[in-house]
Amino acid sequence: MRVLLVEDEQRLTENIVAALREVGFAVDFALDGTTGSHLAEQGVYDAIILDLMLPGKSGQKILQDLRRKKLHSPVLILTAQEGKESIVELLNAGADDYLSKPFDLGELIARVKALIRRAKGVATPVLTISDVQINTVQQTVRRKDQLIDLSPTEYRILEYLCHRPRAVVSKQELLEHLYDFDWEHHSNVIEAHISNLRRKLNITGTEELIETLRHRGYRLREEPAEA
């Protein structure tokens, strides 16, 4: 999943970016509101973390512009503002959640994961597809109760596909959501990761899980269902 962080505190930005990347997110960031707004309006982010007090353009204005343009990426607001009224105003303006500074990075990551799950119509952290179970908290995959050892990228591809039930997911879409702004540098690796993923998931007595549609992309053969 790909996340955008818009935060003008350099040290805090570095800490959040490092923590998100450590758990497998692709992360872009901006230190001012103008740049952050431009990135957010690309419409490629699975979640946006938005500070309010930003140089150039406020977080609240960025949020309002996103919703006015019908962009639905879930937005988590970082706020040092006090008072119930400002929180109500932000939620009414289209924010999906908020976190008051200072905060625990573990809580921030958990909230971002929950926002992404809800935005994709999933209520629990365990995804089930046919005989495959994916625990998105532990980042583990089991098939017929057998633990499958995946690389971080293979896991991220499988999790992303599971969040796009019945959809044909193009190679470009995978690249846009699995890598940060320099995703074009990785454009030749998706096929190799898909091939490895198929091989690892193909255990005795099972059927192929990932279907390739020539010149179109990839699709799961079975419809995901919550565990």
Side-chain angles (χ1 to χ4, degrees), residues 5 12 18 25 38 51 66 81 105-106 136-137 143 149 162 168 192:
L5 169 66
L12 180 59
F25 287 107
H38 173 72
D51 188 30
L66 281 176
Q81 292 185 355
L105 282 174
T136 61
V137 174
R143 187 164 201 186
D149 183 21
C162 291
V168 178

Side-chain angles (χ1 to χ4, degrees), residues 86-101:
S86 63
I87 299 302
V88 171
E89 185 177 354
L90 288 167
L91 293 173
N92 285 338
D96 298 273
D97 197 2
Y98 69 95
L99 199 54
S100 299
K101 296 179 179 178

Side-chain angles (χ1 to χ4, degrees), residues 38-53:
H38 173 72
L39 290 172
E41 292 177 11
Q42 303 303 307
V44 298
Y45 295 102
D46 299 290
I48 297 171
I49 304 169
L50 191 58
D51 188 30
L52 286 181
M53 306 296 287

Side-chain angles (χ1 to χ4, degrees), residues 15-202:
N15 290 339
I16 294 174
V17 169
L20 289 168
R21 286 177 174 165
E22 188 173 350
V23 297
F25 287 107
V27 186
D28 295 330
F29 64 90
L31 297 171
D32 66 85
T34 304
T35 305
S37 180
H38 173 72
L39 290 172
E41 292 177 11
Q42 303 303 307
V44 298
Y45 295 102
D46 299 290
I48 297 171
I49 304 169
L50 191 58
D51 188 30
L52 286 181
M53 306 296 287
L54 293 166
K57 186 174 183 179
S58 74
Q60 187 160 357
K61 184 67 170 62
I62 293 173
L63 173 65
Q64 291 169 342
D65 287 348
L66 281 176
R67 298 313 186 222
R68 181 173 53 79
K69 294 180 179 180
K70 309 298 183 187
L71 293 168
H72 302 298
S73 298
V75 174
L76 185 151
I77 297 290
L78 301 180
T79 176
Q81 292 185 355
E82 300 291 340
K84 185 177 178 180
E85 287 187 359
S86 63
I87 299 302
V88 171
E89 185 177 354
L90 288 167
L91 293 173
N92 285 338
D96 298 273
D97 197 2
Y98 69 95
L99 199 54
S100 299
K101 296 179 179 178
F103 53 82
D104 179 81
L105 282 174
E107 181 178 357
L108 172 70
I109 291 170
R111 286 176 182 263
V112 170
K113 287 183 174 180
L115 281 182
I116 292 174
R117 285 201 308 270
R118 288 201 296 270
K120 298 183 183 301
V122 179
T124 75
V126 178
L127 308 173
T128 301
I129 310 157
S130 183
D131 51 6
V132 177
Q133 280 200 327
I134 302 170
N135 188 313
T136 61
V137 174
Q138 300 173 355
Q139 296 192 346
T140 57
V141 176
R142 291 181 180 275
R143 187 164 201 186
K144 287 186 174 294
D145 292 328
Q146 180 176 323
L147 186 63
I148 308 294
D149 183 21
L150 300 181
S151 72
T153 302
E154 291 159 6
Y155 170 83
R156 290 165 61 202
I157 290 173
L158 182 60
E159 181 183 344
Y160 187 81
L161 291 175
C162 291
H163 281 302
R164 300 276 283 120
R166 300 178 298 280
V168 178
V169 178
S170 69
K171 175 182 167 184
Q172 178 165 332
E173 181 178 341
L174 281 174
L175 287 163
E176 286 178 345
H177 287 266
L178 297 179
Y179 295 96
D180 55 24
F181 69 94
D182 65 347
W183 61 266
E184 289 180 335
H185 296 164
H186 303 273
S187 59
N188 295 321
V189 301
I190 289 295
E191 290 93 343
H193 287 305
I194 290 282
S195 176
N196 289 335
L197 185 54
R198 280 203 182 97
R199 176 175 52 79
K200 292 180 179 180
L201 288 170
N202 186 25

